[in-house]
Structure formats: C-alpha cells, structure tokens
Amino acid sequence: MAMWGGRFAEETDSLVRKFTESISYDWRLYPYDIAGSQAHATMLARQGIISQQDAETIVAGLEEIRKDIEKGDFQFKEELEDIHMNIESRLTERIGQAGARLHTGRSRNDQVATDERLYMRHEIDETHACIAALQRTLMDLAQTHATIIMPGFTHLQHAQPVLFAHHLLAYVEMLARDGERLMDCRRRVNRLPLGAGAIAGCTLPLDREFVAAQLGFEEVLRNSIDAVGDRDALAEMLSDLAITAMHLSRLCEDIILWFSQEFAFIELGDAFTTGSSLMPQKKNPDVAELSRGKTGRVYGHLMALLTTMKGLPLTYNRDMQEDKEGLFDAVDTVKLTLRTLAAMLKSLRPRGERMREAASDPSLMATDLAEWLVRHGVPFREAHHQVGHFVGWCQSHGKTLAEATLTEMQASMPSATEECLGLFDPQRSAAARNLTGGTAPEQVARQIAFWQKRLADEKIHK
Ligand code: ARG
C-alpha cells in the first residue's frame, strides 16, 4: 500500500504506477532531499515537536542512506513514486518510529520545491564556473593571437577589418552577461519554500527562519500559496540557460564557417573533429555542430515548462512533476557544451595569414576614406555618397580601390589628397579605431587587461 494509502481500498493500477512515478529521474535530487530533511528534523526537535533523540536518529539515518545511494547500494522503488517517499520509507525501515516522525509539518509540495531550489543553487554555481572557464580559454586565445587581423562581418559580408582577439572578446562579454544573469537568478532561487506545507502553512510552531539559515537560504518565501504553487524560478533558470545556449550556438556557427574551405580561417585539433564514414578526406567540426544542434532542446525545455505552467490554477498540481526532466537535461546539456567547447577551443589554431589576406581587400577601408573626408570638412552624407561613387567607378573599371590613381579618386572625391592612397592598410585601419570599445590594438589590449583582472578576481572569490 502506498504511503498515502490510508483511505484507499484498492491497490494502484500498475499502469498508473508507471505513469505517475518520478523516481526514475528525480532520484538525482537525493543530496538536496536529505539536506532538507536533516534541517527539518533538527528544527522539529528545537521546537519541541519531536525529541532530540529522534532528531539525531533521523539525521544519522539519513546520512547512512546518503552513503548507500552514493555506493549504488540503494534500491529505488517505482511503487514509492518519488525520491521523497523512497528516502522516507527506507529511513523508517532502518530506524523505525523516529523515521515516521520526519514528515511532521511538511508536505511533498513544499519539500519538492525546496529540493529543486537547492539543486538549482548548486547547478547555478557549477554552470557559472564552467562559463568562467570558457571565458578564460577565449581570453588565452585572444592574448596569444593579439595581432591577427581579420575581416569583420555584417550580413556575413566583409565589413571592416577587426582584430581576431576583438571578435573573441565579444564572446567573453556575452558569456559574462550569461554569468551575471545566472547569479541574479540565484538570488530569487535562494529562498525557502519549506514550512508552506501543502498550501496554507502549518498548525505546529515551525521555525522557518532556522531551516532557512541551516540550508543557506537568504530568505523565507513569504506566501505559502506562492511557495508551493509557482515554478518561475525554474523558468528563469531555463531562460538564462537558453540565452547561454544561443550564445554558444553563435560561437559555434562562427567556428563552423571559419573552419570551412571557403574561409579557412582556423584549424581544429584532430581530437575535436570527426571523419566521414564514406569520404576519406573529410574533417568535420561535429562538436561545434552538435553544440549548435543541442540549443534546440534547451529552448524546448523552456517552452515545455512555460506551457505546462500556463493553465494551472493555484497551487500545486501534479502537472508540475513534469518540471524536472527538462531542467535536468538543460543543465546537463549546457554544462557539457561549455566544457567541451572550452576543450575544443584550446585546440583551435587561427590561420593569421589567411585572415589578413581576406581583410586586405581595400573596399573594407571604404569607411576609413569617408571618415577621412569628414575630417576634411565634408558632411558625412556627402562623403558617403562620394566614396560610394568612387567604389562604383572602381568596380566598373575592374580596379580595386587601392589601384585607382589620385586623379581618378578626385573625380569622385574632389578633396582627396595623397594621404588617401595610404588608407588601404587593414592594420592602419584597425589601429585608427582607437576609442573605448573599438578594435584598435591599444583598446583590445585594455580589454584583455580588464578581463584578466576580472576573471582572476572571480577565481579568488570562488
Ligand atoms: N513527485 C512530486 C513532484 O515532483 C512531488 C510532489 C507530489 N505532491 C503531491 N501532492 N502528489 O511534483
């Protein structure tokens, strides 16, 4: 008979047991379920609701169960539905009566919400560390190859020369915001549901603040209905993970393009690429492709949870049991992607000469020419038009911008001088963008120094 079986005359149908169980996946919550139960039992004794002796027996019994689970010596049972009842039932088997007192003043509704928050807090910290590690790898690459120039792209068309390091540092910035978002989410995750009971609180004199302090929660959730009835903390974490996955997917898309024969901007290590079962010559960027591909399932988990929640009346409904698999999978997927990408990036070798060659197309410096005219008094719109005319002239005469003579240039841009002929050097072009956030080597060096310090500080505070 189920633990809640008092009022039932018939056994649960075996199909229903299969249909309603969550132990096949929520067993992963065991460390958090045990920690929550230990704090709860300790509080019950402090409040005189159970004896000190019982509390100690419970805490020790739970410790034994933890060890059994870690050793693989614990038999999870489908008929016990979920992690909460599996642990409680085993505890009572082991320690008798005292175990039967553990669930005093508690419901699985506030219990599962507490377990999930402890799990998320832990995984937020883990993911945050994985993000920082990937940032460090990108930083190392940027630093090692600080002088390489490549074409920057808009619309996937050559735009302006940029430093390869500058491009990598853009991802460092994006990942930093991903980390910030997670840490911000952590503040809202780190609040205690326990004490809310099934929905309305408890007639026994529980000390929720004590339990919160024991478990490292910064606050106690103020409203019991809210505490058991919402899953927005999960939705928020999933949103954050979805954004991170989106960023990683874009990084991978860049890598896939750069690794193609058409770009040939980078090499990737053999250990991080795969071959074709048919074409012997192939070396494919499968890690980057799979990272891009896995983004879909992370988004999917966010959509699934939002959809599960959208029609639910307050408070707890069993629908909410569906919240866990997606969350676990999103966390596992994003963490593994972060780790694998960091490892892959360590094997990345930029082909600086190829990038430079691509960045040397003089039309990438057309903006430099327009801005030169602006500095010589031509209104920007007018300068833009003149340079556009010059570009068109060069194209129809089969010349690059750098091949035109000064006289030919002046036909479109009357105020052009000798100096303009020297503007078609990508190095010079990049160096001229010397303002905060710009791609000039001096600015990129500043950004590298900034991130070096920031990431080192973060390591110390960890
Ligand atoms: N396994 C359940 C879940 O994850 C635990 C809460 C069940 N509560 C209930 N009243 N049936 O949602």
Side-chain angles (χ1 to χ4, degrees):
M1 188 54 74
M3 292 179 83
W4 37 255
R7 63 158 293 172
F8 290 79
E10 280 178 47
E11 281 291 332
T12 312
D13 187 276
S14 64
L15 264 177
V16 173
R17 252 175 34 194
K18 230 185 175 27
F19 193 68
T20 54
E21 69 85 23
S22 53
I23 189 61
S24 55
Y25 48 89
D26 72 7
W27 67 269
R28 292 178 53 165
L29 292 174
Y30 79 84
Y32 314 106
D33 198 73
I34 288 173
S37 289
Q38 288 176 328
H40 183 67
T42 309
M43 179 277 291
L44 289 176
R46 262 185 109 234
Q47 298 300 101
I49 302 168
I50 64 172
S51 71
Q52 191 56 42
Q53 179 59 49
D54 279 351
E56 279 165 25
T57 315
I58 290 172
V59 169
L62 287 168
E63 219 41 67
E64 289 306 309
I65 289 177
R66 184 203 305 276
K67 282 187 203 138
D68 285 352
I69 297 178
E70 267 152 24
K71 277 192 299 207
D73 267 357
F74 189 100
Q75 215 202 326
F76 294 110
K77 295 187 183 140
E78 185 186 279
E79 61 270 28
L80 289 168
E81 277 184 40
D82 55 27
I83 187 62
H84 324 297
M85 294 200 292
N86 266 272
I87 290 182
E88 192 193 321
S89 155
R90 182 79 188 97
L91 181 71
T92 308
E93 246 172 56
R94 272 188 115 106
I95 65 169
Q97 272 282 300
R101 295 190 196 279
L102 170 61
H103 210 53
T104 310
R106 188 175 75 170
S107 153
R108 278 184 296 154
N109 296 355
D110 56 351
Q111 190 178 356
V112 69
T114 303
D115 292 5
E116 289 181 326
R117 283 169 183 268
L118 289 171
Y119 163 82
M120 285 193 283
R121 188 177 72 190
H122 176 77
E123 292 298 342
I124 285 172
D125 291 343
E126 291 257 305
T127 311
H128 191 259
C130 293
I131 289 176
L134 179 59
Q135 284 181 298
R136 268 181 223 115
T137 309
L138 285 162
M139 269 283 301
D140 287 346
L141 261 182
Q143 224 175 346
T144 314
H145 305 286
T147 58
I148 295 181
I149 298 244
M150 64 182 275
F153 296 85
T154 64
H155 312 267
L156 198 55
Q157 304 285 319
H158 285 179
Q160 291 170 348
V162 295
L163 261 59
F164 174 60
H166 193 50
H167 192 114
L168 295 177
L169 287 170
Y171 285 109
V172 174
E173 299 281 349
M174 289 147 88
L175 287 166
R177 289 193 295 277
D178 291 337
E180 278 173 31
R181 258 186 295 273
L182 278 173
M183 291 325 263
D184 191 51
C185 169
R186 192 187 195 281
R187 290 174 35 231
R188 279 175 291 281
V189 162
N190 205 18
R191 297 172 186 169
L192 176 78
L194 222 51
I199 169 169
C202 185
T203 61
L204 299 164
L206 308 182
D207 183 348
R208 300 185 66 202
E209 283 69 20
F210 174 81
V211 175
Q214 287 272 295
L215 294 172
F217 283 111
E218 265 157 53
E219 286 175 47
V220 169
L221 286 169
R222 270 186 298 272
N223 182 309
S224 62
I225 291 177
D226 170 50
V228 295
D230 204 358
R231 289 291 182 270
D232 62 340
L234 279 77
E236 188 176 350
M237 182 165 178
L238 283 169
S239 313
D240 294 351
L241 293 174
I243 296 174
T244 303
M246 179 268 292
H247 284 156
L248 297 179
S249 189
R250 296 189 71 182
L251 170 61
C252 288
E253 176 62 12
D254 274 344
I255 287 171
I256 292 163
L257 286 174
W258 294 347
F259 191 59
S260 70
Q261 281 85 355
E262 283 67 27
F263 279 75
F265 281 3
I266 56 165
E267 264 307 325
L268 292 171
D270 282 356
F272 292 92
T273 47
T274 45
S276 156
S277 58
L278 190 139
M279 299 168 281
Q281 87 283 11
K282 288 300 284 289
K283 183 171 166 181
N284 298 326
D286 289 30
V287 169
E289 292 171 56
L290 265 173
S291 307
R292 192 177 57 183
K294 284 174 190 289
T295 309
R297 67 200 270 174
V298 178
Y299 291 3
H301 295 319
L302 170 63
M303 286 309 134
L305 179 68
L306 292 174
T307 310
T308 297
M309 295 305 295
K310 75 176 270 290
L312 299 188
L314 294 183
T315 55
Y316 180 85
N317 298 269
R318 191 61 176 269
D319 315 45
M320 283 150 80
Q321 180 168 289
E322 289 292 313
D323 63 353
K324 278 173 275 301
E325 281 169 292
L327 177 68
F328 295 162
D329 186 67
V331 168
D332 294 344
T333 301
V334 171
K335 263 168 47 182
L336 185 59
T337 306
L338 285 163
R339 287 189 181 132
T340 314
L341 285 183
M344 184 186 73
L345 285 176
K346 291 197 176 96
S347 84
L348 185 154
R349 298 281 163 268
R351 300 179 58 179
E353 75 302 339
R354 281 276 317 161
M355 293 193 198
R356 202 200 136 77
E357 193 188 308
S360 298
D361 170 1
S363 57
L364 271 78
M365 273 64 81
T367 318
D368 299 53
L369 203 50
E371 286 174 0
W372 185 94
L373 291 172
V374 165
R375 254 181 280 121
H376 291 78
V378 184
F380 178 74
R381 277 290 156 226
E382 177 65 24
H384 186 283
H385 190 82
Q386 290 182 9
V387 177
H389 187 267
F390 174 55
V391 170
W393 184 90
C394 289
Q395 240 158 31
S396 59
H397 288 78
K399 289 189 174 191
T400 70
L401 307 197
E403 283 161 359
T405 64
L406 181 56
T407 325
E408 288 165 343
M409 215 183 233
Q410 282 166 338
S412 303
M413 305 176 290
S415 44
T417 70
E418 282 288 330
E419 207 181 85
C420 297
L421 301 174
L423 292 179
F424 302 112
D425 169 19
Q427 214 92 33
R428 200 215 61 86
S429 166
R433 291 184 163 72
N434 196 2
L435 77 174
T436 303
T439 203
E442 195 183 319
Q443 296 299 331
V444 173
R446 266 180 62 189
Q447 293 172 34
I448 288 177
F450 169 84
W451 281 114
Q452 236 169 3
K453 186 169 166 356
R454 171 66 67 89
L455 292 170
D457 286 353
E458 241 168 54
K459 224 174 185 173
I460 293 164
H461 294 310
K462 273 260 140 208

